[in-house]
Amino acid sequence: MRILIVNVNTTRSLTDAIGRQAGSAASPGTEIVPLTPSFGAESVEGNYESYLAALAVMETVRAYREPFDAVIQAGYGEHGREGLQELLDVPVVDITEAAASTAQFLGRTYSVVTSLDRTVPLIEERLHAAGLSARCASVRASGLPVLALEQDEKAAVDAIAEQAARAVEDDRAEVVCLGCGGMSGLADRVVERTGVPVVDGVTAAVKIAESLVGLGLSTSKVRTYAPPRPKAVLNWPPVAR
Amino acid sequence: MRILIVNVNTTRSLTDAIGRQAGSAASPGTEIVPLTPSFGAESVEGNYESYLAALAVMETVRAYREPFDAVIQAGYGEHGREGLQELLDVPVVDITEAAASTAQFLGRTYSVVTSLDRTVPLIEERLHAAGLSARCASVRASGLPVLALEQDEKAAVDAIAEQAARAVEDDRAEVVCLGCGGMSGLADRVVERTGVPVVDGVTAAVKIAESLVGLGLSTSKVRTYAPPRPKAVLNWPPVAR
Amino acid sequence: MRILIVNVNTTRSLTDAIGRQAGSAASPGTEIVPLTPSFGAESVEGNYESYLAALAVMETVRAYREPFDAVIQAGYGEHGREGLQELLDVPVVDITEAAASTAQFLGRTYSVVTSLDRTVPLIEERLHAAGLSARCASVRASGLPVLALEQDEKAAVDAIAEQAARAVEDDRAEVVCLGCGGMSGLADRVVERTGVPVVDGVTAAVKIAESLVGLGLSTSKVRTYAPPRPKAVLNWPPVAR
Amino acid sequence: MRILIVNVNTTRSLTDAIGRQAGSAASPGTEIVPLTPSFGAESVEGNYESYLAALAVMETVRAYREPFDAVIQAGYGEHGREGLQELLDVPVVDITEAAASTAQFLGRTYSVVTSLDRTVPLIEERLHAAGLSARCASVRASGLPVLALEQDEKAAVDAIAEQAARAVEDDRAEVVCLGCGGMSGLADRVVERTGVPVVDGVTAAVKIAESLVGLGLSTSKVRTYAPPRPKAVLNWPPVAR
Amino acid sequence: MRILIVNVNTTRSLTDAIGRQAGSAASPGTEIVPLTPSFGAESVEGNYESYLAALAVMETVRAYREPFDAVIQAGYGEHGREGLQELLDVPVVDITEAAASTAQFLGRTYSVVTSLDRTVPLIEERLHAAGLSARCASVRASGLPVLALEQDEKAAVDAIAEQAARAVEDDRAEVVCLGCGGMSGLADRVVERTGVPVVDGVTAAVKIAESLVGLGLSTSKVRTYAPPRPKAVLNWPPVAR
Amino acid sequence: MRILIVNVNTTRSLTDAIGRQAGSAASPGTEIVPLTPSFGAESVEGNYESYLAALAVMETVRAYREPFDAVIQAGYGEHGREGLQELLDVPVVDITEAAASTAQFLGRTYSVVTSLDRTVPLIEERLHAAGLSARCASVRASGLPVLALEQDEKAAVDAIAEQAARAVEDDRAEVVCLGCGGMSGLADRVVERTGVPVVDGVTAAVKIAESLVGLGLSTSKVRTYAPPRPKAVLNWPPVAR
C-alpha cells in the first residue's frame, strides 16, 4: 500500500519531519511518500496562504506519476481537502480531521493546540465542515509561528504544553490534539506534562488511511465529491519555470 | 493484539456472525475474541433491553480472565460504552460510533439504516453523545426485527437497500452505515444496489481499535471516564445460577 | 394517589431524607413511597454506577407489588428514565428534568450545582436528552461526594452556595437547581445566600407527578417508549441472595 | 389560592371557555379568575395583534385590584410574558410553554397544532425563547381562524386531528399540544383519533401555576425580569373611554 | 426618498440626536424624518418598556400622514419590528439587525456593547430572531443607563470603550456594534481606542433602508408578515389626551 | 467610487452580464469595473474549480493596477473571500452573503435556488461561514449548468421559478435568492411567478459595497483577516504564458 502524504508548506525540512513521523506509524507493507508542494508559502498561516496551499497540494498530487492508494493532506485547518476528493478515486484524509476523529474515541471532549492565533478560525471552520466540532472544547494558539517549532523545540514544547494544560483545566478538554503538522513528534512530551492522551494528526491519519484502504472504502462520488465535469480550463496548470 | 468484541444480544448465532465479520477485517497478529453477554435479551430493541445489555456487557468483560488490548461493543445505538470506559484502561470502541466516524471520511453526510423504528431514537442519542450527529442526514428503520435479519437474508437486503436508497435520494446522504450488529456481512450487496459507500460498524470498529492500540492511545482518565471511586456495592454482581 | 420515589443510591438514610423531602411537597391525599434499590452502589457518582442504578431502579419498581400512580427517579443526571417509561403505564419523572423544567418558568437561564466534577457530563447529557439544555447556563460541581452532603451539612451549604453564587455572577444564571438527590433540604439556605430562586428536584418532581396524574396524562407509547417486545431474556432478573 | 387567567383575545365567549377549562383542572381551594383584556383584537392571529395583546394583558393585570397568587397568559405563541414577569412578584405561566414543558415529560418529541399558518412562526419563536424548542418535532396549522374553532366544533376537531395525525406519522411527534387557547376542551377527542397523549395548555398551566405557588417559588428578579426602573412614562396607560 | 426613523424612547433630545446621526449618513435626495413615540417610557430598558415602545412605534408610524419609503426602528434589542412589517408595505429596518448584518461583512465575529445588563437578553433574543446570532461573540453591558449616555459623554466613551476592548480580547470579537440608539456619534472615539471597526446601528440602518428602496425590495407578505386580517379591534388606538 | 466586481468563471460573456447587472444598481458616481480571472474553469461547479477560482480571483485583483474602493466576488458559494480580505484594505463583498444578508431584512426565512445539485453543499458551507445559515430554509438546485443559463433563458426561468415555488410552499421560504452569478437579470420574472421578493446577489452586493465605503468601514485586521506575514513564497504567481 502506498500513501502520499503532502506537506502544505514548501519548506522541505518540514516535509522530511512529517514523512518520518508518518513512517513511524505505518504498518509493514505500507510505503509512505512525503511530497512538498511545487509552489506556495514556506509556511502556511492564514487564508491566502492556505488557499494557495490547497491548490498546490492538488496540483502536486495530480503531477505524481506512480499509482497510490490514499492521500493525506498534512496541514492543520487548511483549505482544499474537498477538491482532492473530487479529483481522486482513492481515500483522502486531512490530519485535522484525523486527529479530531481519533480524539473523540478517547474522551468526551478534545482541544486543539495550534501555532498562531490567526489560524484558530481556520481550524474551527475545518472541524465544523467535517462534522467534528460538537465535542471540541477549544482551539488554542501557542503563539509560535510554524517555522519556530523547528528552531527551538524546547520552547515549542513549553508553549504547547502550557496551552494544553489550560485546555484541560479551563476548557474541560479530556484529550489534546497537536494542531500543526510541524508539531509531529512532540506528543510524548506533552503527554508527560498534562496527563491526558495527546493525538498527533499525522500518525492518526496514517492509521485511518490504512484502515480505509484495508476496508475497501473510498470517497462517495454521488454528489459533493463527484469528479469535475469536463470543461475548458484556461491557463492552468501553470507552465514550469 | 487481542480484541474482545462483545455482542449485546444473548443470541449466540449473532455472536458467531459478528465474530466472523470482525475476523475478516482483523490484521495478521490480531486475535478477535467474540463474547456473548451472560444475561439479557435475545435481541436488543429498546431502552430497557439496552440498559440491561449495557450492564451485561460490562460484567461480561469484567469476568473475562485473560489479558486483552481493546474492547468493541457490537450493538448499534446501545447504552453502556461510557461505563466500559470507566472500568477499563484499554480503548473501547462502539460500533455505532466507529461506523459514523468512518463514514465522515467518505462523504459529506451519512445515514444509518437500522432494524426497528423504535431504535431510531437510541441511535440518534448515541451519535449525539459521541459528537457525530452534525453530518448525520437521517436514521432510517428497515422495519425488520434484529432476529429476522438472520432468518431471511434476501428480505433483509431488500428492506435495507430500499431505505438506503431513500436516504441517498431524499435525505441527501452520501454514505450509508449499516445500523445493526446483525447486518454485518450485507454491506457488499447494499453497495451494489445504491452506488454509495456502505460502512459496516463491526469491521470499522476493528480497524479503529487496532489503530488506537497501534498508536499507544487509550481512554482519557481525567474526568468523565475516571475509574469508579472505591465504595460499597450491594448485591452485585449477581450470583451465578 | 400513590407515588413511588426511588433513590438511586443503596444508602437507606438517603432514601429516608428523599422521602421526607418528597412528603413535604405532597398534596393531601398523596402517599409518597420511598424505595431503596435492591442492588448497586452506596452512592452513584459516575457512569458505571449510574448504569447499575438504572437497572436497579427498574427492577425495584418492577418488584413493587402494590398499585401506584407515578414513579419519580430521584437521582441527578442518572441513566435509566427511558427504560422505566417503557416498562410502565404510569408517568415517570426524573428529578433532573423536573428541576430544570421548573426552573425555566422562573428565569431566563438556570444553573445546576452538583456533587463531583465527574458527574457534570452525566447531567449535561441528561438535560440534552430531555430537551432542556438550551437555557442551562452551566453545571457546576461543589466538589463534595454524595455521602459527604449528609455528614457535614454546614460545609455542604457553603460549598454549594459558593458555586451557586458563581453561577449567578459568572455564568449569568437566574435560577439555581440543586443537582443531587442528597441536597434535598438545603434549598432555603442557598436562597438566603444567593438571592435567586433555588429549585429542589425532589419537590419539583412530586408536583409534576401529581399534575400529570391529575391531568390524566401518561407516557406516549407510540414509538420510543413502547413496551418491550415479548422475547426470551436470559438469567434476569437475578435470583435473590 | 387565586390564579388570574388572562385571555389574549377580547372575545368574551373565549374567556368564558378558557375559564371553564381552567376550572376543570383546578385543585380544591384554587380560585380561577378569567379576565378579558380591556383593549385589543377580537382574535389574535399575527404579530401586530399579538403585540397589542401583550400590552393589553399587562394593563389588565395591573388594573386588577384584588390580591392574587399567579397569572396565566392564555394565548398560544403570543408576546408579552416577559413583561408580566417584570411587573409582578407572583409566578407567570404562558400556556405555550406550559403545554410544551408538560409534553416533554410524556414523550421524546412533541408537535403543536395551531390555528392559522401565519401563527406558526410566533409559536416557534416563543418555544425557542423558553428553551423548549429542541424536542419540538413541528408546529402545524389546521388552517382554522381562532374564532372558527368556536363556531363549528366538529370541523375544528377534524382539522386538528388530521394535522395531529400527520405530526405523529410524518414528523415523528410522540405527543401533541393543542396550540390555541380556543382549542381548550378538544383534547379528549383528539386523543381518541390519534392514540398519543394530547396536552391542553390551559389545564397544564393551571397545574404548573399551582405547583409553583405550592413550592413557594416565583420569578427570579436578578437580571432579565427585574422590576422596571422608576422613570417618567408618557401618556400611559390610556384614559378610559 | 423619505425615511422615517422612530426613536423608542419618548425623550425628544434622543430623537434629535438620532435624527442628526441618521442625516449624516443619508445620501443626497434622502429625507430623514425623526419621530418620537406618542406614549411610553422616557428611556427603554427592559421588557415592559420595550413592549410599550413596540406598540408606540407602530401607532406613531400609523399616525404619520405623509408618504414615506422606509421605516427605521431606532432601538437596540427592542420588540416590535415584526408588527411594523405586517402593517407596512415599505421596508422596515431595525438598528440592532442593521448593525449586526453590517458587522458580519467586516470581520468573522462581532460583539455588541449596550447600556444596562438587563438589556443584554433582549438584544440576544433579537439577534436570534433575525438569524444573526451565530457570529455574535458577546453582548456586553457598559452599566450606563440610556439617559446617562447623554449626560456625561466622556464617561460614556470610557465605559463603552472598556467593554469593547474586553470583547476584542476576551471574546475574540473582530468588530464592535454600539448597542444603543443613544450611543450614536461615539463610534469614532471607540475606534480610536480599540483598533477594530465600530458599527453604529443608526447609520448602518440608513444605508440598508436606502439600498432596499433602491433595489425595489420590500417585506415578503407571504406568511409571517402578511397584513393583519380584518377584524374588530376594541378600544384601540387610545383617544388623544 | 470604483468597485471591482470579479467573475469566478473565465467566460467573458458572463463577466459582461454581471457587469451590466452591477451597473444597473450602481449609484451615480460609482464606477463598476468587471474583471475576468486570468486562469481557471469556464464555469465553476464544484470544489476543485472553486478553489482554482478563489486563487484566480485573488491574483486578478492583485494584478489590477488602478486604485479601487471595494471588491465584489461574483460567485455563488465559492471559496476565497477570506483570502481577499487578508490581501486588501478595502471592503470585500461576496454575492452569496450579500443576497442572504439582504433577504433577511425582507422575510423570516429565505431559500437559495442555484444551478447544479453539486453546488448546494458549497453554498451551505459559505452561508454557515458567514453566519447567515440560521434563517436559510433550503438551498435548491435547478439542475441547469451555469453556462446553460445563458443559452436558453426561458428554460432557465422555468427551472428556477419551479424550484423557487417549491421553496416557498414546501420549505416555507419567504424570500428567494438567485444562487448563481449567471442568473443576474432573471429576478423580475421569478418575482412575477412566485409572488415573493427575489434577491439578486450582484445588485445586493453593489449596494452593500457602496454602503460600507460610504460609512467609512472596512475589514477588521485584528485576527482572522490580518495581512499575510512576510515570508518566502515559491513559484507564485505563475509566469504569464
Side-chain angles (χ1 to χ4, degrees):
Chain A
M1 184 186 313
R2 178 184 287 151
I3 299 175
L4 309 188
I5 183 161
V6 197
N7 188 5
V8 294
N9 315 287
T10 52
T11 300
R12 282 174 197 281
S13 57
L14 279 173
T15 310
D16 295 343
I18 290 166
R20 280 192 303 272
Q21 181 72 1
S24 76
S27 298
T30 297
E31 178 195 1
I32 299 291
V33 179
L35 295 176
T36 305
S38 54
F39 58 91
E42 60 183 328
S43 64
V44 177
E45 295 162 329
N47 277 287
Y48 170 66
E49 292 161 3
S50 181
Y51 276 120
L52 193 46
L55 213 53
V57 167
M58 287 186 250
E59 296 308 323
T60 300
V61 171
R62 294 223 294 185
Y64 186 79
R65 288 291 157 237
E66 302 297 318
F68 53 90
D69 299 287
V71 173
I72 295 169
Q73 177 164 325
Y76 226 91
E78 306 313 347
H79 296 290
R81 184 259 298 155
E82 305 93 324
L84 275 173
Q85 286 180 298
E86 282 180 12
L87 296 174
L88 303 176
D89 288 325
V90 300
V92 176
V93 179
D94 177 289
I95 63 168
T96 325
E97 302 166 15
S101 182
T102 300
Q104 293 190 159
F105 285 101
L106 305 174
R108 185 168 176 261
T109 56
Y110 69 92
S111 284
V112 179
V113 181
T114 186
S115 53
L116 296 182
D117 196 38
R118 68 181 296 161
T119 66
V120 171
L122 283 110
I123 293 172
E124 290 176 351
E125 290 298 322
R126 176 55 50 194
L127 292 172
H128 168 82
L132 293 167
S133 58
R135 294 296 178 189
C136 180
S138 59
V139 181
R140 284 179 168 271
S142 66
L144 291 175
V146 170
L147 297 183
L149 296 170
E150 278 202 312
Q151 288 153 8
D152 184 347
E153 197 173 287
K154 186 177 173 315
V157 169
D158 284 347
I160 292 163
E162 187 194 327
Q163 293 301 317
R166 289 182 54 186
V168 173
E169 280 176 39
D170 297 353
D171 310 333
R172 300 179 67 81
E174 304 190 355
V175 183
V176 168
C177 295
L178 294 182
C180 178
M183 290 180 190
S184 287
L186 309 185
D188 288 352
R189 274 161 293 171
V190 181
V191 171
E192 275 169 37
R193 297 222 196 156
T194 62
V196 301
V198 174
V199 179
D200 162 60
V202 169
T203 49
V206 169
K207 286 303 187 192
I208 289 167
E210 288 182 342
S211 295
L212 297 176
V213 174
L215 294 168
L217 293 168
S218 191
T219 306
S220 178
K221 290 293 174 176
V222 79
R223 185 173 297 114
T224 308
Y225 307 124
R229 300 174 72 224
K231 65 183 62 166
V233 178
L234 181 72
N235 292 335
W236 192 261
V239 293
R241 299 199 194 203
Chain B
M1 185 187 314
R2 178 183 287 153
I3 299 175
L4 308 187
I5 183 161
V6 197
N7 188 6
V8 294
N9 315 287
T10 52
T11 298
R12 282 174 197 281
S13 57
L14 279 173
T15 310
D16 294 344
I18 289 166
R20 281 192 303 272
Q21 181 73 0
S24 75
S27 298
T30 297
E31 178 194 1
I32 299 291
V33 179
L35 296 175
T36 306
S38 54
F39 58 91
E42 60 183 329
S43 64
V44 177
E45 295 162 329
N47 277 287
Y48 170 65
E49 292 161 5
S50 181
Y51 277 120
L52 192 47
L55 215 54
V57 167
M58 287 186 249
E59 295 309 322
T60 300
V61 171
R62 295 221 295 183
Y64 186 78
R65 289 291 156 235
E66 303 297 317
F68 52 90
D69 298 288
V71 173
I72 296 170
Q73 177 164 324
Y76 225 90
E78 307 313 346
H79 297 289
R81 184 260 297 154
E82 306 93 324
L84 275 173
Q85 286 180 299
E86 283 181 11
L87 295 174
L88 303 177
D89 288 325
V90 300
V92 176
V93 179
D94 177 289
I95 64 168
T96 325
E97 302 165 16
S101 181
T102 299
Q104 293 190 158
F105 285 102
L106 305 174
R108 185 169 175 260
T109 55
Y110 69 91
S111 284
V112 179
V113 181
T114 186
S115 53
L116 297 181
D117 196 38
R118 67 182 297 161
T119 67
V120 170
L122 283 108
I123 293 173
E124 290 176 351
E125 290 297 323
R126 176 56 51 195
L127 292 172
H128 167 81
L132 293 166
S133 59
R135 294 296 178 189
C136 180
S138 59
V139 181
R140 284 178 168 271
S142 66
L144 291 176
V146 171
L147 297 183
L149 295 170
E150 278 203 311
Q151 288 154 8
D152 184 346
E153 198 173 286
K154 187 180 173 312
V157 169
D158 285 347
I160 292 163
E162 187 195 326
Q163 293 301 318
R166 290 181 55 186
V168 173
E169 280 175 40
D170 297 352
D171 310 332
R172 300 180 68 81
E174 303 190 356
V175 183
V176 168
C177 295
L178 294 182
C180 178
M183 290 180 189
S184 287
L186 309 185
D188 288 353
R189 275 160 293 172
V190 181
V191 171
E192 275 169 37
R193 297 221 196 155
T194 62
V196 302
V198 174
V199 180
D200 161 60
V202 169
T203 49
V206 168
K207 284 304 187 192
I208 289 167
E210 287 182 343
S211 295
L212 297 176
V213 174
L215 293 168
L217 293 168
S218 191
T219 306
S220 177
K221 291 293 176 178
V222 79
R223 185 174 296 115
T224 308
Y225 306 125
R229 300 175 71 226
K231 64 183 64 166
V233 177
L234 182 72
N235 291 335
W236 193 260
V239 292
R241 299 199 194 203
Chain C
M1 184 187 313
R2 178 182 288 151
I3 299 175
L4 308 188
I5 182 161
V6 197
N7 187 4
V8 294
N9 315 287
T10 52
T11 299
R12 282 173 198 281
S13 55
L14 278 174
T15 309
D16 295 343
I18 289 167
R20 281 191 304 273
Q21 181 73 1
S24 75
S27 298
T30 297
E31 178 194 1
I32 298 292
V33 179
L35 296 175
T36 306
S38 54
F39 58 92
E42 60 184 328
S43 64
V44 177
E45 295 162 331
N47 276 288
Y48 170 64
E49 292 161 5
S50 180
Y51 276 120
L52 192 47
L55 213 55
V57 166
M58 287 186 248
E59 296 308 323
T60 299
V61 171
R62 295 223 293 183
Y64 186 78
R65 289 293 156 232
E66 303 297 318
F68 53 89
D69 298 288
V71 173
I72 296 170
Q73 177 164 326
Y76 226 90
E78 307 314 346
H79 296 289
R81 183 260 297 157
E82 306 93 325
L84 275 173
Q85 286 180 298
E86 282 181 11
L87 295 174
L88 303 176
D89 287 325
V90 300
V92 176
V93 179
D94 177 290
I95 63 169
T96 324
E97 301 167 16
S101 182
T102 299
Q104 292 191 159
F105 285 101
L106 305 174
R108 185 170 177 260
T109 54
Y110 69 90
S111 283
V112 179
V113 181
T114 187
S115 52
L116 297 181
D117 196 39
R118 67 182 296 162
T119 67
V120 170
L122 282 110
I123 293 172
E124 290 176 350
E125 289 298 321
R126 175 56 50 195
L127 292 172
H128 168 82
L132 293 166
S133 58
R135 294 296 178 189
C136 180
S138 58
V139 181
R140 283 179 169 270
S142 66
L144 292 175
V146 170
L147 297 183
L149 295 170
E150 278 202 310
Q151 287 154 8
D152 184 348
E153 198 173 287
K154 185 176 174 317
V157 170
D158 284 348
I160 292 163
E162 187 195 325
Q163 293 302 317
R166 290 182 55 186
V168 173
E169 281 175 39
D170 296 352
D171 309 333
R172 300 179 67 83
E174 303 190 356
V175 184
V176 168
C177 296
L178 294 182
C180 177
M183 290 180 189
S184 288
L186 308 185
D188 287 353
R189 277 161 291 172
V190 181
V191 172
E192 275 169 37
R193 298 220 195 156
T194 62
V196 301
V198 174
V199 180
D200 162 60
V202 169
T203 50
V206 169
K207 286 304 188 193
I208 289 166
E210 287 182 344
S211 296
L212 296 177
V213 173
L215 293 168
L217 293 168
S218 191
T219 305
S220 177
K221 291 294 176 177
V222 79
R223 185 172 296 115
T224 307
Y225 306 126
R229 301 173 72 225
K231 65 182 64 164
V233 178
L234 180 72
N235 292 335
W236 191 261
V239 294
R241 300 202 192 200
Chain D
M1 184 187 314
R2 178 182 287 151
I3 299 175
L4 308 187
I5 182 161
V6 197
N7 187 5
V8 294
N9 315 287
T10 52
T11 299
R12 282 175 197 280
S13 56
L14 279 174
T15 309
D16 295 343
I18 289 166
R20 281 192 303 272
Q21 181 73 2
S24 76
S27 298
T30 297
E31 178 194 1
I32 298 291
V33 179
L35 296 175
T36 306
S38 54
F39 59 91
E42 60 184 330
S43 64
V44 178
E45 295 162 332
N47 277 288
Y48 170 65
E49 293 161 4
S50 181
Y51 277 120
L52 192 47
L55 214 54
V57 167
M58 287 186 251
E59 295 308 323
T60 300
V61 171
R62 294 223 295 184
Y64 186 78
R65 289 291 157 234
E66 302 297 317
F68 53 90
D69 299 289
V71 173
I72 295 171
Q73 176 164 327
Y76 226 90
E78 308 313 347
H79 297 289
R81 184 259 299 156
E82 307 92 325
L84 276 174
Q85 286 180 297
E86 282 181 12
L87 295 174
L88 303 176
D89 288 326
V90 301
V92 176
V93 179
D94 178 289
I95 64 168
T96 325
E97 302 166 16
S101 182
T102 299
Q104 293 191 159
F105 285 102
L106 305 173
R108 184 168 176 262
T109 56
Y110 69 91
S111 283
V112 179
V113 181
T114 186
S115 52
L116 296 181
D117 196 39
R118 67 182 296 160
T119 66
V120 170
L122 282 109
I123 293 172
E124 290 176 350
E125 290 299 322
R126 176 55 51 195
L127 292 172
H128 168 81
L132 293 166
S133 58
R135 293 297 178 187
C136 180
S138 59
V139 181
R140 283 178 168 271
S142 66
L144 292 175
V146 170
L147 297 182
L149 295 170
E150 277 202 311
Q151 289 154 7
D152 184 348
E153 197 173 288
K154 187 180 172 311
V157 169
D158 284 348
I160 292 162
E162 186 194 326
Q163 293 302 317
R166 289 181 55 186
V168 173
E169 280 176 39
D170 296 353
D171 310 332
R172 300 179 67 83
E174 303 190 355
V175 183
V176 168
C177 296
L178 294 182
C180 178
M183 290 179 190
S184 287
L186 309 184
D188 288 353
R189 277 161 292 172
V190 182
V191 171
E192 276 169 36
R193 297 222 196 153
T194 62
V196 302
V198 174
V199 180
D200 161 60
V202 170
T203 49
V206 169
K207 285 303 186 193
I208 289 167
E210 288 182 343
S211 295
L212 296 177
V213 174
L215 293 169
L217 292 168
S218 191
T219 305
S220 178
K221 291 292 176 180
V222 79
R223 184 174 297 115
T224 308
Y225 306 126
R229 300 174 72 225
K231 64 183 63 165
V233 177
L234 182 71
N235 291 336
W236 193 260
V239 293
R241 300 199 192 201
Chain E
M1 184 187 316
R2 179 183 288 151
I3 299 175
L4 308 187
I5 183 162
V6 198
N7 187 5
V8 294
N9 315 287
T10 53
T11 299
R12 282 174 197 282
S13 57
L14 278 174
T15 309
D16 295 343
I18 289 166
R20 282 192 303 272
Q21 181 74 0
S24 76
S27 297
T30 297
E31 178 194 0
I32 298 291
V33 178
L35 295 175
T36 306
S38 54
F39 58 91
E42 61 184 328
S43 64
V44 178
E45 295 161 333
N47 276 288
Y48 170 66
E49 293 161 5
S50 181
Y51 277 119
L52 193 46
L55 213 54
V57 166
M58 287 186 249
E59 296 308 323
T60 300
V61 171
R62 295 222 294 184
Y64 186 79
R65 290 291 156 235
E66 303 298 317
F68 53 90
D69 299 289
V71 173
I72 294 170
Q73 177 163 325
Y76 226 90
E78 307 312 347
H79 297 289
R81 183 259 299 156
E82 306 93 325
L84 276 174
Q85 286 180 298
E86 282 180 12
L87 295 174
L88 303 177
D89 286 326
V90 301
V92 176
V93 179
D94 177 289
I95 63 169
T96 325
E97 303 167 14
S101 182
T102 300
Q104 292 191 159
F105 285 102
L106 305 174
R108 184 168 176 260
T109 55
Y110 69 91
S111 283
V112 179
V113 181
T114 187
S115 53
L116 296 181
D117 195 38
R118 67 181 297 161
T119 67
V120 171
L122 282 109
I123 293 172
E124 290 176 351
E125 290 297 323
R126 176 55 52 194
L127 292 172
H128 168 81
L132 293 166
S133 58
R135 294 297 177 188
C136 179
S138 59
V139 182
R140 284 179 168 269
S142 66
L144 291 175
V146 170
L147 297 182
L149 295 170
E150 278 202 310
Q151 288 155 8
D152 184 347
E153 197 173 286
K154 187 179 173 313
V157 169
D158 284 347
I160 292 162
E162 186 194 327
Q163 293 301 318
R166 289 180 55 186
V168 173
E169 280 175 40
D170 296 353
D171 309 333
R172 300 180 67 84
E174 303 190 356
V175 183
V176 169
C177 295
L178 294 182
C180 177
M183 290 180 189
S184 287
L186 309 185
D188 287 353
R189 276 162 291 172
V190 181
V191 171
E192 274 170 36
R193 297 223 195 155
T194 61
V196 301
V198 174
V199 180
D200 162 60
V202 169
T203 49
V206 169
K207 286 303 187 193
I208 289 167
E210 287 182 343
S211 295
L212 296 177
V213 174
L215 293 168
L217 293 168
S218 190
T219 306
S220 177
K221 292 292 176 177
V222 79
R223 184 173 297 116
T224 307
Y225 306 126
R229 300 173 71 224
K231 65 184 63 166
V233 177
L234 181 73
N235 291 336
W236 192 261
V239 293
R241 300 200 192 200
Chain F
M1 184 186 314
R2 179 182 288 150
I3 299 174
L4 308 188
I5 183 161
V6 196
N7 187 5
V8 295
N9 314 289
T10 51
T11 300
R12 282 175 196 281
S13 57
L14 279 174
T15 309
D16 295 343
I18 289 166
R20 281 192 303 273
Q21 181 74 1
S24 75
S27 299
T30 297
E31 178 194 1
I32 299 291
V33 178
L35 296 176
T36 306
S38 54
F39 58 92
E42 60 183 329
S43 65
V44 177
E45 296 163 330
N47 277 288
Y48 170 66
E49 292 162 5
S50 181
Y51 277 119
L52 192 47
L55 214 54
V57 167
M58 288 186 249
E59 295 308 323
T60 299
V61 172
R62 295 222 295 183
Y64 187 78
R65 288 293 157 234
E66 302 297 317
F68 52 90
D69 298 288
V71 173
I72 296 171
Q73 177 164 326
Y76 226 90
E78 307 314 347
H79 297 289
R81 183 259 299 154
E82 306 93 325
L84 276 173
Q85 286 180 298
E86 283 180 10
L87 294 174
L88 302 176
D89 287 326
V90 300
V92 176
V93 179
D94 177 288
I95 64 169
T96 325
E97 301 166 15
S101 182
T102 299
Q104 293 192 158
F105 285 102
L106 305 173
R108 184 169 177 260
T109 54
Y110 70 91
S111 283
V112 179
V113 181
T114 187
S115 53
L116 296 181
D117 196 39
R118 67 181 298 160
T119 67
V120 171
L122 282 109
I123 293 172
E124 291 176 350
E125 290 297 322
R126 175 56 51 197
L127 293 172
H128 168 82
L132 294 166
S133 58
R135 293 296 178 190
C136 180
S138 59
V139 182
R140 283 178 169 271
S142 66
L144 291 176
V146 171
L147 297 183
L149 295 170
E150 279 201 310
Q151 289 155 7
D152 184 347
E153 197 173 288
K154 185 177 174 316
V157 169
D158 285 347
I160 292 162
E162 187 195 325
Q163 293 302 317
R166 290 180 55 186
V168 173
E169 281 176 39
D170 296 352
D171 309 333
R172 300 179 66 83
E174 303 190 357
V175 183
V176 169
C177 296
L178 294 183
C180 177
M183 291 180 190
S184 287
L186 308 185
D188 288 353
R189 277 161 292 171
V190 181
V191 171
E192 276 169 37
R193 298 222 195 153
T194 62
V196 301
V198 174
V199 181
D200 162 59
V202 169
T203 50
V206 169
K207 286 304 188 193
I208 289 167
E210 287 182 344
S211 295
L212 297 177
V213 174
L215 294 168
L217 292 168
S218 191
T219 306
S220 177
K221 291 293 176 178
V222 78
R223 186 173 295 116
T224 308
Y225 307 124
R229 300 174 72 224
K231 65 182 64 166
V233 177
L234 181 71
N235 291 335
W236 192 262
V239 293
R241 298 197 195 203

